[in-house]
Amino acid sequence: MRPVPGNLPAELNRFVGRADELAELTRLLTGFRLITLVGVGGVGKTRLAVHAAARALPAPGPEDPEKRYCDGVWLAELSSVRDPGLLDHALADALRVTDHSGRPPREVLRTHLADRRLLLVLDGFEQLVDPCAELVRDLLRRCPGLQVLAVGRRPLRLEGERVFPLAPMDGTDAARLFAERAADVLGGSCPLDEHGDTVRELCRRLDSIPLALELAAARLRALSPDQILRRIDDRFHLLTEGSRGELPRHRTLRTAIGWSHELCAPAERLLWARLSVFAGPFDLEAVEYVCAGPDLPAGSVLDVLGELIAQSVVVREDTAAGVGYRMLDTVRAYGAEWLDALADTGRMRRRHRDWYMGLAAWWELEWFGPRQAEIAAGADSALPNLRAAIELCLETDGETYLGQCLAGTLWFYWAGCGRLTEGRHWLDRALAPAAGPGEPPHDGSRRDGSRLKALWVLGYVAILQGDNATATGALYECREEATRTSNALAHAYAVHRLGCLALLTGDMPRAERLLRSALGSYRELGEINSNVLMGRAELALSLVFLGDLDAAVALCADVREICEDSGERWARSYALYVHAFAAWTRGRLTEARALLAEAVTIHHTFNDLVGLVLAMELMALVTAGEGYPAEAAVLQGAAGRLWRSVGVPLFGSPTFGAPHEQCERRAREALGPRAYGARVAEGRALSQAAAVERALAGPRGTSASVPPGRSPDDHRPTPDTDRETVRDRETREPAGSPGQIGGEAAG
């Protein structure tokens, strides 16, 4: 039985009440493609939407006859997104869509959703209501199997939208909710047994708003229900004064939050305000750096944070990156108002930015080591905060160079963890002006170094997206400016990536020349990291295509040895791929398959689609050589689907295209055009995870499917025939000349 896809979070405590609302929302989901659940902050919109969506999921197993939500239910949390330009990126991220192609993210979303049947829950869109409405309209028109459940404080106002206003809970459900949460706090004791009238009056005073009730229940650690009621009653009038423009229920919620805030100790109120600068999940180390100070010593932060967790102001959650924390948007907004009142917002945002700049720099260093998977998970969790940090740099006079530095420092995340589109967004923004507002001219200072790094990283990202024109411009500009400012390291990186560009466009002699030049510079400068190892693997691949297999294998062995010593896996995966390519060229198919299996596993772990699709293509060719053309065709189809997310298939290079054509020719000849096409279509229908599973499982069946009169061994490659295929292909379709790409390294 196949698992049902999706990303809905598990419920941490019991869903209470709302039986009528749940039934009505479930009914609406059967009849409308767009339902917008609206209501005041804290009324329980998200909890109801997620609970209803979870109930709507089909059970794991065979697909239901109507295929309703057969592609799952997905939650996109948009509350931390402030830049309209990131809306599409955030949705693609929630859907786990990775695209390296350089296509606009909207086009990627349309393609991904075009033939899928799923429910998309959009939560917290009100700060971007107009662009979100335009996005939803576009996707619903183009993707017939898509259904949207939007959750916010106002409707999207789209044609066909069914608005479902969510009122506060009725009195009975509110009392039950308070009792349930009170029992959690008190270890099983239910206050309804002894304080029923007080609890019901408390619920009435708080307008039965779930968030207000949960905040009040958290106070039972220190107060009785009667004490809570008296305190709310005493302060109700005071705390709602000056709120004439607000609806009564908004005022009630602010009363509950304000009352909870007033009951906090001074240190707790201060930490609450300072935590509001975090745009998404955060960890203890970040809190200790950003929020500590003379009035809040670092040694006390953990205890104060624990008190805010106990009072439901901060929520603790387990993530792939470890234990983290977050604040509900309504609570965070209240803290932000207090931070403004303290005139401390600017300083705290700068401390927040400095922490994430330091964290990114540390991750970059640690990336060359055994913690790559941990760093990838940490960067995923920190992405909303990284965005906020870059945004602050780019909107502050004189600090554009800091944004360039941060966007460049995250190269390992953009290129190594399937984030090319996001990285391109920030690199383009950081480099758009010649100098940002108030920026001094280039003078060889740190500002120039930051800009040069952003330029070569942009060139690298653009290469992987297939945008060779942008890559060429950025890398030549970087190389020229590096020469002018005597920045030898930036010059080496620019030359390295120009060599990578030559490799992927099929100019192997030039690729070898540039890559050797860059690696020589790295040795002189003492530079050793994952990028340098990638340069060696890229040089080895150019040597494979040039026919110097012994030198290529020796380079790969060197890279693999360094990776084993350091614990590095990402660059290792590319060395494994090149080594497998050499093994395939020599006809050593068993060796090639073992090397590729490890490479595929690593690429899939990091969601590196460029490496994954290259390894899948070669796995298909190995499979064909083993005498299993049907399975080879399936893998080619799976690779074809991945190429749509990477860019131009096989980089548009005759050199990379020749092995693919050889595999297709063998499989098509063995199976016949119709059967080959059917197998390719089967592969194209596989998800990324299913394709990886299929590739790692090995050929299906016990016998090869080959034409009469042939044996599986007839399909095994030899060095002569494989190199001849490449040379013949290049003779028919010459690669770009050096003049098309630019001058040489010394240029």
Side-chain angles (χ1 to χ4, degrees):
M1 299 198 305
R2 71 177 184 89
V4 179
N7 67 339
L8 293 182
E11 294 184 293
L12 301 180
N13 49 29
R14 199 166 75 88
F15 184 83
V16 178
R18 298 287 198 191
D20 293 341
E21 294 94 332
L22 186 60
E24 176 62 10
L25 183 55
T26 301
R27 184 189 68 80
L28 293 176
L29 285 171
T30 65
F32 295 88
R33 293 189 62 208
L34 172 60
I35 303 105
T36 304
L37 185 60
V38 299
V40 63
V43 80
K45 302 183 297 295
T46 299
R47 186 67 188 269
L48 176 64
V50 170
H51 189 72
R55 283 167 49 102
L57 273 171
E63 295 180 3
D64 59 289
E66 296 181 357
K67 296 187 177 181
R68 185 168 180 258
Y69 307 153
C70 59
D71 292 302
V73 177
W74 300 85
L75 171 65
E77 296 177 326
L78 305 178
S79 59
S80 66
V81 180
R82 294 293 184 269
D83 180 354
L86 289 177
L87 185 58
D88 291 358
H89 295 275
L91 182 52
D93 186 37
L95 291 167
R96 298 175 186 167
V97 178
T98 303
D99 186 83
H100 291 339
S101 66
R103 294 178 297 165
R106 180 68 56 85
E107 180 183 339
V108 173
L109 287 171
R110 292 170 185 154
T111 301
H112 177 77
L113 295 171
D115 56 356
R116 283 176 166 79
R117 299 181 64 84
L118 58 82
L119 174 63
L120 177 61
V121 182
L122 294 178
D123 187 26
F125 60 81
E126 44 273 325
Q127 76 284 1
L128 294 172
V129 64
D130 290 335
C132 188
E134 192 276 326
L135 169 63
V136 171
R137 179 194 297 112
D138 184 35
L139 294 181
L140 287 176
R141 285 178 175 175
R142 295 171 182 266
C143 309
L146 173 66
Q147 187 177 14
V148 175
L149 174 56
V151 183
R153 300 189 187 186
R154 54 175 292 185
L156 291 169
R157 295 180 179 174
L158 293 175
E159 182 180 357
E161 177 184 26
R162 178 60 182 266
V163 178
F164 181 12
L166 185 63
M169 305 180 90
D170 65 35
T172 301
D173 280 348
R176 285 179 54 210
L177 175 65
F178 184 87
E180 285 267 351
R181 301 301 181 251
D184 293 339
V185 170
L186 300 174
S189 175
C190 179
L192 279 177
D193 296 339
E194 301 178 33
H195 306 278
D197 291 341
T198 300
V199 168
R200 283 185 282 273
E201 178 62 14
L202 179 62
C203 293
R204 188 184 70 80
R205 290 283 183 175
L206 294 177
D207 275 350
S208 299
I209 296 175
L211 175 58
L213 296 172
E214 297 200 8
L215 289 171
R219 287 292 169 188
L220 288 171
R221 291 181 174 87
L223 301 172
S224 71
D226 289 318
Q227 288 175 309
I228 293 174
L229 179 60
R230 282 199 305 273
R231 285 172 176 263
I232 287 180
D233 190 45
D234 290 344
R235 288 159 178 79
F236 188 92
H237 178 74
L238 174 65
L239 293 174
T240 55
E241 284 295 315
S243 302
R244 295 175 183 171
E246 293 183 344
L247 295 173
R249 283 168 183 157
H250 282 89
R251 293 201 301 269
T252 300
L253 180 60
R254 287 184 58 79
T255 296
I257 297 175
W259 168 76
S260 187
H261 183 269
E262 185 179 343
L263 291 181
C264 287
E268 294 163 12
R269 291 198 295 269
L270 183 60
L271 182 57
W272 181 345
R274 291 178 175 178
L275 288 174
S276 68
V277 299
F278 289 97
F282 48 86
D283 59 24
L284 179 60
E285 290 78 10
V287 176
E288 289 174 330
Y289 177 88
V290 175
C291 301
D295 44 5
L296 187 64
S300 69
V301 166
L302 177 57
D303 290 338
V304 179
L305 181 64
E307 287 301 313
L308 292 179
I309 294 170
Q311 297 164 41
S312 298
V313 173
V314 174
V315 179
R316 179 191 184 277
E317 57 186 8
D318 294 318
T319 70
V323 175
Y325 311 94
R326 63 181 175 85
M327 299 178 78
L328 296 177
D329 289 338
T330 307
V331 175
R332 178 179 176 272
Y334 193 93
E337 291 180 5
W338 275 89
L339 193 61
D340 282 341
L342 294 170
D344 204 21
T345 300
R347 185 180 73 89
M348 294 308 301
R349 288 188 69 193
R350 289 190 294 275
R351 287 185 64 83
H352 172 273
R353 176 205 60 199
D354 292 346
W355 168 259
Y356 284 100
M357 287 195 69
L359 187 62
W362 180 61
W363 281 338
E364 182 185 29
L365 292 174
E366 290 286 300
W367 184 253
F368 182 58
R371 297 184 56 249
Q372 287 178 326
E374 180 183 341
I375 290 168
D380 278 337
S381 178
L383 184 56
N385 288 299
L386 292 169
R387 289 168 175 165
I390 301 176
E391 189 71 55
L392 178 62
C393 297
L394 300 184
E395 70 184 23
T396 303
D397 287 357
E399 295 189 354
T400 298
Y401 77 99
L402 292 177
Q404 294 168 348
C405 178
L406 182 50
T409 298
L410 289 167
W411 66 266
F412 62 90
Y413 186 52
W414 312 139
C417 303
R419 296 287 183 174
L420 288 179
T421 305
E422 174 105 11
R424 180 67 181 272
H425 171 86
W426 291 115
L427 290 161
D428 282 341
R429 281 196 59 188
L431 290 166
E439 291 285 332
H442 303 305
D443 58 3
S445 65
R446 179 185 175 190
R447 288 173 169 81
D448 265 352
S450 297
R451 188 167 187 277
L452 290 175
K453 185 169 188 176
L455 279 170
W456 74 253
V457 174
L458 172 61
Y460 184 19
V461 168
I463 288 170
L464 297 179
Q465 290 184 311
D467 186 355
N468 294 342
T470 296
T472 301
L475 293 173
Y476 269 93
E477 182 180 352
C478 179
R479 193 180 66 175
E480 291 167 4
E481 286 296 315
T483 300
R484 185 182 66 80
T485 58
S486 301
N487 190 323
L489 187 58
H491 187 278
Y493 276 108
V495 171
H496 175 180
R497 290 306 159 198
L498 284 168
C500 179
L501 179 61
L503 173 68
L504 296 188
T505 53
D507 190 346
M508 297 305 153
R510 185 167 190 272
E512 180 189 6
R513 196 158 53 245
L514 291 171
L515 290 168
R516 286 193 186 279
S517 175
L519 291 171
S521 297
Y522 290 147
R523 281 193 297 272
E524 292 176 6
L525 296 167
E527 184 81 348
I528 180 67
N529 55 31
S530 299
N531 254 315
V532 175
L533 295 184
M534 281 290 291
R536 295 182 185 180
E538 289 156 355
L539 175 60
L541 185 56
S542 71
L543 294 175
V544 168
F545 284 121
L546 289 168
D548 193 350
L549 299 183
D550 290 338
V553 170
L555 266 174
C556 290
D558 181 51
V559 172
R560 292 174 62 188
E561 182 179 355
I562 295 173
C563 290
E564 287 168 6
D565 290 342
S566 65
E568 211 280 356
R569 299 177 65 203
W570 178 64
R572 172 184 172 84
S573 64
Y574 282 90
L576 290 166
Y577 165 76
V578 179
H579 200 163
F581 210 124
W584 166 78
T585 305
R586 286 172 161 163
R588 300 173 182 172
L589 302 185
T590 301
E591 179 185 0
R593 175 172 288 281
L595 292 165
L596 285 172
E598 186 177 353
V600 165
T601 300
I602 296 172
H603 289 310
H604 184 54
T605 298
F606 290 114
N607 201 31
D608 181 356
L609 292 194
V610 174
L612 179 59
V613 73
L614 288 173
M616 291 284 291
E617 286 279 5
L618 187 53
M619 186 73 88
L621 187 52
V622 168
T623 302
E626 291 171 329
Y628 294 91
E631 190 65 17
V634 171
L635 295 180
Q636 279 201 313
R641 177 171 179 167
L642 289 174
W643 276 118
R644 290 191 304 178
S645 297
V646 172
V648 180
L650 298 155
F651 310 111
S653 166
T655 305
F656 281 88
H660 174 91
E661 290 182 0
Q662 183 179 346
C663 179
E664 179 179 345
R665 185 176 65 251
R666 290 177 173 180
R668 189 182 294 275
E669 180 182 333
L671 301 172
R674 179 173 297 180
Y676 172 78
R679 290 294 191 172
V680 169
E682 179 184 344
R684 283 178 180 156
L686 296 175
S687 66
Q688 179 179 324
V692 168
E693 182 180 359
R694 186 85 172 234
L696 296 179
R700 303 297 177 92
T702 57
S703 62
S705 175
V706 297
R710 291 180 179 263
S711 70
D713 289 340
D714 293 334
H715 292 266
R716 293 180 182 270
T718 65
D720 292 338
T721 58
D722 291 324
R723 287 197 292 273
E724 182 180 356
T725 300
V726 173
R727 286 197 300 270
D728 288 347
R729 174 68 174 168
E730 290 179 332
T731 300
R732 293 196 306 272
E733 299 181 26
S737 66
Q740 291 176 302
I741 302 175
E744 299 307 327

